[in-house]
Amino acid sequence: MRDSAPADVRLELWSRGRSQLRWLTTRLFSRGRWLLLLLLWFGSWLVLNGLVLVHRHISTDVCSDKHGPEILTQLCQDFSSGLVSGELCVDLCVLHTLQYHRCLYYENGKKVLEARWRGQPVILKSKHENFTSYEPLSALQDPNASEDLSPLDVVYYATMEVRSSLGLLEEDGERLQNGSVWAEWQQRADPNRTYTRAELSSLWALLQQEEYTFFRLLQDLTPHVARVLSSCGHFYAVEFLSAGHAWDQNLFSLADPPQPVLPLAHGRGGRDHRIALSFLDLVWHFDHDFHHKLHMCDVKPENFGIREDLTVVALDVDMVFFEPKLQELLEQNCSSDDDCCFFDCWSQCDTHTLRCAPNRSNSNLQAICEKIFRPWFSPSLLGPKAALPLQVELQRAVQECSEIHLDHRPEHRPDHRPDLVHKRLVHALTRLVEAQL
């Protein structure tokens, strides 16, 4: 009897412990289930709110044929209120000979719209949607300032703004005054009249847009940039040209939308080779025609268009820089050469100072060959004609051009100088054009 009591007690204790364990397990499972459900609900809430935020962001930044006309309506309201001016304003807001057609690009504030102007397509551009997004001219803060500003004052302020936005040196100011960036304003520089605040404010908003400044500065100096046709407030119109197509064998088309791809045997080869020659002419102009080299740091087919005479035209120059500005961008801290790549503009890392060299180590020619010519004239796209002697010569010249690096010393590769490679490309393409005649 003495030994059975402890056994009964142990059995009872074991039964109670088992029951408590079962109860505890049930409570924990129940709490875990609620916790799991709570976590699932919270996660779903985060996902749904994230989708709403993304949708709102996309809906505000996407090209919209509803929002596009609203932008031009607001521009006309600013014109009616006397805030903006420009020759294009009358056609847009009074005569209605400029009409919205479609939205082409709308990102980070930049607006690119296609319109019909007197029956012809044009492109309307602005860095910001609203006129009030631009910094006002400080001289206009005084209510009577417009009466005191002379044409020389306008030229002076414009020169300073252009030099600043393009990163040019102080000695370039006088050259800029002789350029075409404000030719239309100088034509109106009548000493017997004053500029309206709307005229000055509109000019100032335009000059704050680097692309507009580039186009106006260069369009009378080279045929290889888009022409500015007119402006209204902060929007300016440029000629309409179809851009290149990155994933199309018909890389550059004169039609919009692109026509079906034609085989080289049907005569497209000669046209393509003439376009390629115009690319080489563009490179030569940008390297030699200005006081500073003009560097293209974003080379892709979409940034170029073709006129009917097969002239290659730079359509997007947001990543085009004169040499002083590019040197500022390149000269950064580094640990290797990989840190010295600014898109398609490369430099080299000095392992002693851990700073990128200010001088570009590749070139416009190398970038064009690598990003345009190499895929365009690849054997896979040329088909059976790729094995022809002239095509092989072109492919070899393109390959050499893609490997050009400006730190290659001539004594090591005397045949690899950029000017010689440029001549070989011109020679090969010219012979291919003549063979198509």
Side-chain angles (χ1 to χ4, degrees), residues 6 27 45 61 71 146 154 163 180 192-193 215 228 262 266 282 327 329 337 367 371 415 420:
R27 292 296 302 272
W45 181 83
D61 280 354
I71 295 175
S146 61
V154 175
R163 186 169 63 83
S180 63
N192 298 320
R193 58 154 292 202
F215 286 156
V228 177
L262 298 176
H266 290 177
L282 177 150
Q327 289 179 343
L329 295 171
D337 288 348
K371 306 295 284 293
D415 62 334
L420 295 180

Side-chain angles (χ1 to χ4, degrees), residues 288-437:
H288 298 91
D289 280 8
F290 315 121
H291 183 60
H292 301 290
K293 283 188 177 182
L294 197 58
H295 295 275
M296 298 180 289
C297 295
D298 186 16
V299 175
K300 55 188 177 183
E302 302 94 309
N303 286 347
F304 300 94
I306 307 296
R307 292 198 183 104
E308 291 186 1
D309 63 357
L310 303 186
T311 298
V312 174
V313 177
L315 299 179
D316 190 331
V317 294
D318 285 340
M319 296 289 287
V320 175
F321 307 99
F322 281 109
E323 190 145 350
K325 181 69 172 181
L326 180 62
Q327 289 179 343
E328 292 181 11
L329 295 171
L330 289 177
E331 199 170 15
Q332 304 295 330
N333 295 329
C334 63
S335 58
S336 68
D337 288 348
D338 293 338
D339 299 326
C340 301
C341 291
F342 184 74
F343 296 89
D344 293 323
C345 293
W346 314 334
S347 179
Q348 292 178 307
C349 183
D350 188 324
T351 56
H352 298 290
T353 63
L354 296 181
R355 295 280 291 178
C356 297
N359 296 318
R360 184 181 180 184
S361 58
N362 70 330
S363 65
N364 289 330
L365 180 61
Q366 187 277 334
I368 291 292
C369 287
E370 177 67 25
K371 306 295 284 293
I372 305 290
F373 288 176
R374 198 168 186 175
W376 197 6
F377 299 121
S378 67
S380 60
L381 291 182
L382 291 173
K385 289 183 172 288
L388 297 179
L390 287 179
Q391 296 288 357
V392 172
E393 180 182 345
L394 174 61
Q395 292 166 34
R396 288 176 178 172
V398 169
Q399 180 66 30
E400 290 180 6
C401 178
S402 301
E403 297 171 354
I404 288 176
H405 209 255
L406 296 185
D407 65 335
H408 285 180
R409 287 170 290 183
E411 61 266 29
H412 288 179
R413 292 291 303 274
D415 62 334
H416 206 65
R417 296 205 326 259
D419 56 336
L420 295 180
V421 174
H422 187 280
K423 288 181 179 179
R424 279 199 289 274
L425 281 168
V426 170
H427 182 259
L429 287 165
T430 302
R431 292 177 63 194
L432 280 164
V433 169
E434 292 173 348
Q436 295 289 327
L437 298 179

Side-chain angles (χ1 to χ4, degrees), residues 6-296:
D8 292 340
V9 172
R10 288 195 299 271
L11 180 61
E12 184 178 356
L13 290 174
W14 180 80
S15 298
R16 287 182 180 179
R18 187 177 180 183
S19 298
Q20 291 177 351
L21 181 62
R22 187 183 297 114
W23 175 84
L24 182 61
T25 301
T26 303
R27 292 296 302 272
L28 287 175
F29 176 75
S30 178
R31 290 182 179 179
R33 181 174 60 185
W34 282 107
L35 180 61
L36 179 61
L37 290 174
L38 181 62
L39 289 174
L40 287 174
W41 176 85
F42 183 68
S44 301
W45 181 83
L46 285 177
V47 170
L48 289 174
N49 277 271
L51 290 175
V52 170
L53 289 174
V54 170
H55 173 73
R56 288 178 179 174
H57 177 73
I58 292 176
S59 63
T60 56
D61 280 354
V62 75
C63 268
S64 168
D65 285 331
K66 177 183 178 181
H67 188 50
E70 294 175 351
I71 295 175
L72 298 185
T73 298
Q74 180 60 52
L75 182 61
C76 285
Q77 290 177 359
D78 292 341
F79 173 65
S80 300
S81 302
L83 296 178
V84 302
S85 180
E87 294 179 353
L88 203 61
C89 293
V90 176
D91 284 2
L92 173 65
C93 307
V94 180
L95 302 177
H96 303 293
T97 53
L98 177 69
Q99 297 180 334
Y100 172 86
H101 181 61
R102 59 172 174 160
C103 179
L104 297 178
Y105 184 86
Y106 186 173
E107 186 174 341
N108 298 325
K110 182 178 181 179
K111 308 298 177 291
V112 182
L113 310 174
E114 181 182 341
R116 292 292 186 269
W117 186 26
R118 301 172 185 173
Q120 299 297 320
V122 295
I123 303 298
L124 297 177
K125 289 189 171 188
S126 177
K127 187 176 182 179
H128 300 299
E129 175 179 334
N130 298 313
F131 180 71
T132 54
S133 299
Y134 293 93
E135 291 291 331
L137 179 60
S138 58
L140 292 180
Q141 300 305 299
D142 181 354
N144 299 319
S146 61
E147 300 177 1
D148 299 327
L149 285 177
S150 69
L152 290 178
D153 292 327
V154 175
V155 172
Y156 170 77
Y157 283 117
T159 300
M160 295 301 101
E161 179 62 22
V162 171
R163 186 169 63 83
S164 174
S165 64
L166 300 186
L168 296 175
L169 304 176
E170 186 172 353
E171 56 265 26
D172 297 314
E174 184 177 349
R175 296 185 182 90
L176 290 174
Q177 292 183 13
N178 298 323
S180 63
V181 65
W182 44 77
E184 60 179 301
W185 300 91
Q186 284 186 314
Q187 291 173 3
R188 290 185 255 171
D190 185 350
N192 298 320
R193 58 154 292 202
T194 58
Y195 292 100
T196 66
R197 297 177 66 85
E199 285 180 306
L200 294 174
S201 298
S202 298
L203 171 62
W204 197 246
L206 291 171
L207 292 179
Q208 291 177 57
Q209 304 179 59
E210 292 84 356
E211 186 171 77
Y212 169 84
T213 305
F214 262 116
F215 286 156
R216 291 291 295 154
L217 182 65
L218 301 181
Q219 67 181 23
D220 291 340
L221 304 177
T222 175
H224 295 292
V225 297
R227 300 188 189 101
V228 177
L229 305 175
S230 190
S231 64
C232 175
H234 55 302
F235 273 88
Y236 57 98
V238 299
E239 60 180 319
F240 177 87
L241 295 170
S242 296
H245 314 283
W247 303 110
D248 193 339
Q249 181 179 346
N250 186 9
L251 202 61
F252 294 97
S253 173
L254 295 179
D256 186 30
Q259 297 295 321
V261 178
L262 298 176
L264 291 176
H266 290 177
R268 273 198 47 83
R271 190 185 76 93
D272 288 348
H273 298 139
R274 288 174 60 193
I275 293 174
L277 281 171
S278 186
F279 263 110
L280 296 178
D281 188 60
L282 177 150
V283 168
W284 188 263
H285 274 265
F286 282 16
D287 283 351
H288 298 91
D289 280 8
F290 315 121
H291 183 60
H292 301 290
K293 283 188 177 182
L294 197 58
H295 295 275
M296 298 180 289

